[in-house]
Amino acid sequence: NAKQAGGNTYRFYQDTMADNYRNIVAMRNKLQAALDAEQLQVYYQPVMEFSTGKTVAIESLVRWQHQGSFISPVSFIPIAEQTGQIIQIGEQVMKMVLRDLVENPGLAKLSVAINVSAQQLRRYDFVQFLGAVLAEYQIDPARICIELTESALLEEQGHTLALPNQIKALGCQLAIDDFGTGYSSLSYLYRLPADIVKLDRSFTRDLTHDLKQRKIVEMLVSTCNQIGKTVVIEGVETAEMSELCQQLGCDRAQGYYYARPMPLAELLTFLNRPAEQG
Ligand code: C2E
Ligand code: MG
Ligand code: MG
Ligand code: MG
């Protein structure tokens, strides 16, 4: 009967909540062990420029291998944001990337993107940390591009743009990541001191068969170009998509079609291919 069903439903919710909680605690503990042992790694994914066909930038992406298999950042970053561990992750990733830049002259011509999440910006003085490590590693800030998601930016109190402006003031580039998913207005885009706009992968997926989506992307790309922003399209997986994105006016592209995220040693080999030279 209804009462019984209600009771069961209630218990079901209680159980799933308890399960969720246990999962979060288990994940937090495993993650803390990995952080303490400095087991996180960074992979790099090339970003290709249409006008030259060459890699002009790389994006750093954190990797966590646990007992032989990778755990996706899509699952552990949100938990790390809740537990506060995102601060430690962010610091370790930043230092690994800067160390790779110092040690590898082969990367000198590339701009390097680093993802920074909402909690990383707000839980402590991120800009102060960024300035300090750039000085410590003696890295030209102009080589670093900080990627903030559109939704993280929209969380900023009163949309004052204080944090994005401080990052720009350090001399770093700024990119707005996953653009098109956060319902920000075009006037916000105009005010934002971002150099680069990364169109979310959800656009790319439907591009080849959905004419409306194509029109939207075309409009976004031309607006961005008119206000001086470089447009990167994410998630390009086929030659057909790549051609279309170029036709639509995108400046750069990133996706499995060109290269997957890879460890530093593989990246260095990739950058030595004949296609990247001359
Ligand atoms: P994101 O910054 O938008 O990064 C792009 C994601 O798309 C990466 O997933 C990349 O591997 C994936 N990708 C690239 N090309 C393709 C493609 O052609 N097809 C498909 N299906 N996927 C593609 P990944 O590495 O799993 O990272 C997921 C998200 O986790 C990132 O999205 C970013 O939001 C976050 N993340 C990754 N590394 C870090 C980090 O060091 N710090 C912070 N705060 N967040 C990170
Ligand atoms: Mg990113
Ligand atoms: Mg993205
Ligand atoms: Mg994304």
Side-chain angles (χ1 to χ4, degrees):
N1 62 29
K3 197 176 167 199
Q4 217 172 7
N8 284 339
T9 311
Y10 178 66
R11 199 161 66 217
F12 170 76
Y13 282 124
Q14 253 192 340
D15 286 352
T16 38
M17 275 172 63
D19 278 353
N20 275 341
Y21 182 73
R22 272 193 294 272
N23 286 340
I24 290 175
V25 170
M27 180 84 99
R28 181 194 66 195
N29 293 344
K30 279 193 291 186
L31 185 54
Q32 196 54 50
L35 281 166
D36 292 343
E38 300 195 356
Q39 282 166 350
L40 296 187
Q41 290 171 274
V42 177
Y43 276 28
Y44 296 98
Q45 185 177 32
V47 179
M48 197 273 308
E49 182 178 62
F50 280 120
S51 64
T52 59
K54 290 181 191 171
T55 302
V56 287
I58 49 180
E59 177 173 11
S60 59
L61 294 159
V62 67
R63 290 292 177 263
W64 176 22
Q65 206 170 359
H66 181 73
Q67 294 173 348
S69 56
F70 282 103
I71 302 178
S72 168
V74 177
S75 56
F76 73 83
I77 295 282
I79 290 179
E81 289 216 52
Q82 285 180 52
T83 61
Q85 288 166 310
I86 191 67
I87 303 298
Q88 215 182 337
I89 294 177
E91 293 192 353
Q92 289 194 7
V93 166
M94 180 78 68
K95 288 178 178 176
M96 285 189 272
V97 171
L98 297 187
R99 194 181 332 114
D100 284 345
L101 290 185
V102 169
E103 291 173 358
N104 296 279
L107 302 178
K109 280 188 269 174
L110 303 176
S111 136
V112 184
I114 298 173
N115 290 289
V116 175
S117 66
Q119 290 303 317
Q120 237 173 308
L121 280 181
R122 283 173 188 85
R123 282 189 184 233
Y124 82 142
D125 196 344
F126 169 76
V127 178
Q128 138 92 45
F129 165 74
L130 179 60
V133 282
L134 287 171
E136 184 190 337
Y137 286 79
Q138 299 188 302
I139 297 286
D140 177 2
R143 294 177 68 186
I144 304 297
C145 177
I146 299 298
E147 290 195 2
L148 305 177
T149 62
E150 183 185 19
S151 46
L153 283 163
L154 288 173
E155 276 174 38
E156 191 176 19
Q157 281 294 311
H159 300 185
T160 58
L161 301 178
L163 285 164
N165 280 315
Q166 285 167 24
I167 291 168
K168 283 298 296 172
L170 278 181
C172 294
Q173 300 173 60
L174 188 69
I176 172 164
D177 204 354
D178 302 344
F179 187 75
T181 56
Y183 305 102
S184 60
S185 64
L186 288 176
S187 73
Y188 180 71
L189 181 65
Y190 186 76
R191 286 196 298 135
L192 194 71
D195 308 278
I196 294 174
V197 174
K198 299 187 80 170
L199 294 183
D200 191 68
R201 204 166 62 207
S202 55
F203 286 111
T204 327
R205 208 179 38 216
D206 304 324
L207 222 46
T208 47
H209 56 271
D210 186 338
L211 198 65
K212 256 189 248 161
Q213 193 76 307
R214 209 181 288 188
K215 288 284 170 210
I216 291 172
V217 170
E218 202 166 15
M219 183 271 292
L220 283 176
V221 172
S222 85
T223 305
C224 287
N225 283 339
Q226 280 167 41
I227 60 178
K229 314 252 186 237
T230 298
V231 180
V232 182
I233 186 119
E234 298 189 299
V236 176
E237 295 184 349
T238 63
E240 189 190 6
M241 271 187 208
S242 175
E243 228 158 83
L244 190 53
C245 292
Q246 183 166 23
Q247 278 168 23
L248 292 177
C250 297
D251 303 293
R252 300 174 181 180
Q254 189 176 346
Y256 296 167
Y257 174 62
Y258 315 102
R260 288 190 176 249
M262 55 186 114
L264 176 72
E266 262 176 59
L267 175 76
L268 295 172
T269 309
F270 178 88
L271 294 171
N272 277 323
R273 296 176 318 158
E276 297 286 343
Q277 310 302 315

